[in-house]
Amino acid sequence: MTVRVLLADDQPLIRSGLRVLIDGTGDLRVVGEAATGTEAVRLTRDERPDVVVMDIRMPVMDGIEATRHIQAGPDPARVLMLTTFDDDDYVYAALRAGASGFLVKDMALDDILGAIRVVAGGDALIAPSVTRRLIEQFVAPPPAPPAVPRRSSEGITDREREVLTLVGRGRSNAEIATDLHISPATAKAHVARLFTKLDARDRVHLVIIAYEMGLVLAP
């Protein structure tokens, strides 16, 4: 199956480079390009891509707002944010808007292609170099009011709590299986049950929940 990709970035050179990279594969195809968030929303509605590779900073409507509009529609596309994270301290808002993860623009080309495939397959991805900083911002309590109580872990088993902790640390299903001495299929089943019990949107959401429960501590 060919994964249909929409590129949204206000820099033509970035879009051109990504198009050449993506169209050179056998399983990915660019179906449209947008230079603004408004165009990205419209083209997503018209072209029905599987994945939108979305820049954060764009004119007219930024990538976060565009993601929010896309996720509000029926059968929304998966959104993979593209950013120069060191300049974008507000990138965590993309996850609140419904993005399935984000890439850093200086990642290796093969990693970008792999990330698109991961997101198209229904999983989520966060650039490893910034995961801890991102989550720390996401779960930080507001400065004025008292800190919001942590999310309860009631309803999940001890084994599921162990699995959730490892998900929060960025472990893949295969790595969880190795750490807990269980089969990959069993690890995958535990993660699937966590999605249901915790009403999690995707794996990124599980990471956030693990931090909110205090299972993983930000540095």
Side-chain angles (χ1 to χ4, degrees):
M1 186 181 70
T2 300
V3 176
R4 294 163 52 83
V5 182
L6 176 69
L7 302 176
D9 197 297
D10 62 339
Q11 298 182 42
L13 186 60
I14 296 292
R15 296 200 310 271
S16 176
L18 287 174
R19 175 181 279 274
V20 170
L21 175 68
I22 291 169
D23 285 344
T25 69
D27 60 332
L28 306 175
R29 179 168 64 91
V30 175
V31 297
E33 297 182 23
T36 69
T38 302
E39 289 180 4
V41 174
R42 177 179 59 80
L43 285 174
T44 299
R45 182 182 62 245
D46 294 344
E47 299 296 336
R48 308 301 298 170
D50 300 302
V51 177
V52 180
V53 179
M54 181 89 73
D55 189 21
I56 286 184
R57 291 183 173 178
M58 289 187 291
V60 184
M61 178 189 294
D62 66 26
I64 294 173
E65 184 64 23
T67 298
R68 191 173 293 114
H69 280 279
I70 289 170
Q71 295 304 308
D75 191 22
R78 309 277 288 176
V79 177
L80 189 57
M81 305 303 294
L82 190 63
T83 179
T84 52
F85 183 82
D86 287 342
D87 296 327
D88 293 324
D89 289 337
Y90 58 87
V91 67
Y92 72 96
L95 300 184
R96 294 186 185 275
S100 295
F102 67 91
L103 300 176
V104 180
K105 287 185 177 179
D106 62 0
M107 287 178 68
L109 298 182
D110 285 345
D111 289 341
I112 293 176
L113 294 177
I116 293 173
R117 294 184 180 105
V118 166
V119 168
D123 212 331
L125 181 144
I126 304 178
S129 61
V130 292
T131 299
R132 297 300 292 272
R133 178 179 169 189
L134 173 71
I135 298 299
E136 183 179 11
Q137 286 184 324
F138 193 98
V139 301
V148 177
R150 284 179 173 171
R151 179 193 286 255
S152 171
S153 61
E154 184 179 355
I156 66 174
T157 66
D158 290 341
R159 175 61 86 185
E160 288 166 348
R161 188 177 290 105
E162 291 177 323
V163 171
L164 181 58
T165 300
L166 292 173
V167 170
R169 292 173 180 166
R171 300 286 202 278
S172 67
N173 287 349
E175 291 170 330
I176 291 171
T178 299
D179 289 348
L180 298 181
H181 306 290
I182 57 179
S183 71
T186 301
K188 183 177 181 180
H190 282 306
V191 172
R193 283 195 290 271
L194 285 169
F195 281 139
T196 301
K197 288 186 175 183
L198 299 175
D199 194 24
R201 181 179 61 248
D202 50 34
R203 203 177 187 93
V204 171
H205 198 182
L206 282 182
V207 173
I208 294 165
I209 291 172
Y211 274 79
E212 290 178 337
M213 287 183 176
L215 300 178
V216 183
L217 301 178

